[in-house]
Amino acid sequence: HAGRIHAGLTHACVRACLRACACACREAAPNVTALIALFNRISNWVASCILQCPEIRARKRVLALFISVLQH
């Protein structure tokens, strides 16, 4: 029982440390943070475009289109 409590506290401490590090990184590197946010928005948009197609063949065409755009 004591081991579980210790492990829980350790995980909580690690999560708190990671949150603090993430906040510090956002403040220290705003350009990198903005680039990551842009990448995430574009990735979500591409996934949404692909998944909006109800048929697998249409999804394949949309995916092929994005791949073609990325190659040029």
Side-chain angles (χ1 to χ4, degrees):
H1 181 73
R4 273 192 242 142
I5 292 173
H6 177 67
L9 288 175
T10 302
H11 290 279
C13 290
V14 169
R15 281 193 305 272
C17 182
L18 289 174
R19 265 189 248 113
C21 290
C23 289
C25 288
R26 277 192 292 266
E27 293 171 8
N31 292 337
V32 173
T33 302
L35 181 62
I36 292 169
L38 177 63
F39 174 83
N40 289 337
R41 282 195 307 272
I42 292 171
S43 297
N44 288 331
W45 173 68
V46 169
S48 295
C49 288
I50 294 168
L51 295 175
Q52 283 178 0
C53 300
E55 297 178 6
I56 195 77
R57 287 185 179 158
R59 288 182 184 183
K60 182 180 172 183
R61 284 194 305 271
V62 172
L63 180 59
L65 174 67
F66 280 114
I67 291 171
S68 174
V69 168
L70 289 172
Q71 290 175 338
H72 295 311

